[in-house]
Amino acid sequence: MKILVTGGTGYIGSHTVVELQAQGHEVIIVDNLSNSEREVVDQIALISGIRPAFEELDLCDQSKTDALFAKYPNIDGIIHFAAYKAVGESVANPMIYYRNNLQSLMNTIDGMRKYNISNLVFSSSCTVYGQPEVLPVREDSPVQAAFSPYGNTKQISEEILKDSVNAYAGLNVIALRYFNPIGAHPTALIGELPLGVPNNLIPFITQTAIGLRQQLSVFGSDYNTPDGTAIRDYIHVVDLAKAHVIAVDRMTKGKGKSNFEVFNLGTGNGFSVLEVINSFEKVTGEKLNYKLVDRRPGDVEQVWADTTFANEELGWKAALTLDEMTLSAWKWELRLQEKRNSK
């Protein structure tokens, strides 16, 4: 199958490209490199032995997006990752999130319609559930008011996709609602590479441990949780990537039960921020310098997934443990440090 991966040099996108190629799919990556590096394509080629096609362009540019689809006919499916994703940044600057995340999706849908591409896997998020009233979260749990503009762009994107499949015959969508992807590829050749100050927990942990950051701030210590810190469902990025390959196969082989399907992707377990820190310290032997600070705007207290539907319907299950996640992230950070030192 020929699969277009938007945002394919990003964190989750790059791991998914590797898994797609491992299953024999031909991959075209499109990315504007706003939060990734061109070198990622080289690293993917080192892992898989196959160099994917790469196009550097911004999907918010409709004419360039149209030219992309014209250049690569007969695409069997699209996995749409291209979006900004930092909760805190979206609270501080919502307009760039609405403009980027929604326009890129709408231009992609227009391209699909024009060039008769039927299948889209959408990178959604557990943020659509807001702060759930009942845990764990099921796919039929109510979509709550978003806690951040980022979360709202995911809710709006899903509404755009629902309306599109209702309006345009032949369009099929699977929305994968991620919980909290962490970790890195076992080769340590690709991983999470935030540009500037990290917004996510694990890169801040590893950068603090390596000495790039003086101190890790734990946002909120007075939540209604066992240790007072926020709880999330952390999933290894490789497990997450494999689910995308299964979703693509489901659509391209016509196995979907409807033209718009939703699946939660998590482990089904909630871990607090302090539990993640403890795991990291245990598997690496590194002691972290961290402090408890005030809550951060846009963060929910606790959320984790009920993965029963994804496990049974997709035949997919997360396999890697929290300790394996934190250790792989540390190995990735050590490789980055070697690279920095060699310059």
Side-chain angles (χ1 to χ4, degrees):
M1 297 287 185
K2 184 184 291 187
I3 308 299
L4 176 68
V5 181
T6 74
T9 56
Y11 175 42
I12 305 170
S14 60
H15 287 81
T16 301
V17 170
V18 168
E19 297 302 325
L20 285 166
Q21 291 181 325
Q23 296 303 315
H25 295 292
E26 178 186 351
V27 179
I28 304 109
I29 294 173
V30 57
D31 204 301
N32 65 0
L33 303 179
S34 63
N35 196 36
S36 60
E37 296 181 349
R38 185 183 295 269
E39 180 193 8
V40 172
V41 181
D42 301 327
Q43 303 305 101
I44 290 170
L46 281 175
I47 295 169
S48 66
I50 304 166
R51 188 176 186 85
F54 173 69
E55 299 289 338
E56 182 183 351
L57 66 88
D58 189 340
L59 291 169
C60 290
D61 186 319
Q62 190 159 19
S63 63
K64 290 182 178 179
T65 302
D66 185 76
L68 171 76
F69 283 109
K71 183 175 180 179
Y72 294 98
N74 304 317
I75 290 172
D76 296 292
I78 297 173
I79 305 179
H80 185 67
F81 293 106
Y84 296 149
K85 62 175 187 175
V87 169
E89 182 184 54
S90 77
V91 173
N93 199 346
M95 278 300 98
I96 66 169
Y97 273 70
Y98 288 114
R99 186 173 295 112
N100 180 76
N101 293 7
L102 301 181
Q103 190 63 57
S104 62
L105 175 62
M106 291 187 288
N107 287 350
T108 299
I109 295 170
D110 284 343
M112 293 179 69
R113 294 179 58 210
K114 183 174 180 179
Y115 293 92
N116 298 313
I117 301 167
S118 298
N119 304 306
L120 177 74
V121 176
F122 177 64
S123 167
S124 193
S125 169
C126 67
T127 57
V128 302
Y129 299 115
Q131 178 54 68
E133 296 175 359
V134 178
L135 289 168
V137 175
R138 295 162 45 95
E139 285 82 356
D140 57 3
S141 296
V143 171
Q144 305 278 6
F147 268 49
S148 69
Y150 162 72
N152 202 26
T153 66
K154 292 301 183 182
Q155 291 184 1
I156 296 170
S157 292
E158 286 196 13
E159 293 299 327
I160 289 170
L161 289 165
K162 288 177 189 175
D163 289 341
S164 296
V165 298
N166 288 333
Y168 310 129
L171 183 62
N172 304 300
V173 172
I174 292 179
L176 300 178
R177 292 174 176 168
Y178 313 157
F179 281 67
N180 287 73
I182 61 174
H185 196 269
T187 62
L189 288 171
I190 54 175
E192 190 167 8
L193 185 63
L195 302 182
V197 179
N199 284 287
N200 295 335
L201 176 61
I202 289 295
F204 221 114
I205 285 177
T206 60
Q207 289 188 13
T208 302
I210 208 81
L212 290 177
R213 307 289 166 193
Q214 184 175 2
Q215 191 173 59
L216 168 69
S217 294
V218 176
F219 295 105
S221 59
D222 59 348
Y223 287 114
N224 184 29
T225 62
D227 63 22
T229 63
I231 290 176
R232 298 288 184 271
D233 187 339
Y234 295 94
I235 176 174
H236 198 292
V237 66
V238 173
D239 281 334
L240 183 65
K242 290 177 178 178
H244 290 76
V245 182
I246 294 171
V248 165
D249 289 342
R250 180 181 178 85
M251 286 201 303
T252 55
K253 294 176 181 177
K255 295 180 180 179
K257 301 292 177 62
S258 69
N259 58 1
F260 184 88
E261 296 186 301
V262 172
F263 295 96
N264 285 339
L265 297 184
T267 65
N269 300 305
F271 293 99
S272 73
V273 175
L274 290 182
E275 286 178 310
V276 175
I277 289 172
N278 290 338
S279 168
F280 178 84
E281 291 183 334
K282 179 181 71 175
V283 299
T284 65
E286 300 289 331
K287 197 69 178 172
L288 276 173
N289 178 26
Y290 68 89
K291 65 176 179 179
L292 305 176
V293 299
D294 292 340
R295 299 182 185 189
R296 180 174 58 179
D299 285 342
V300 301
E301 179 174 274
Q302 51 187 324
V303 63
W304 66 90
D306 181 333
T307 61
T308 304
F309 185 57
N311 298 161
E312 295 179 352
E313 189 66 27
L314 290 180
W316 167 90
K317 186 176 179 64
L320 298 169
T321 66
L322 180 63
D323 286 350
E324 289 172 311
M325 299 179 211
T326 54
L327 182 58
S328 67
W330 180 234
K331 290 179 178 177
W332 163 246
E333 188 65 56
L334 290 173
R335 180 189 168 273
L336 291 178
Q337 180 73 350
E338 289 179 2
K339 181 180 173 184
R340 289 188 288 263
N341 290 340
S342 67
K343 290 184 178 179

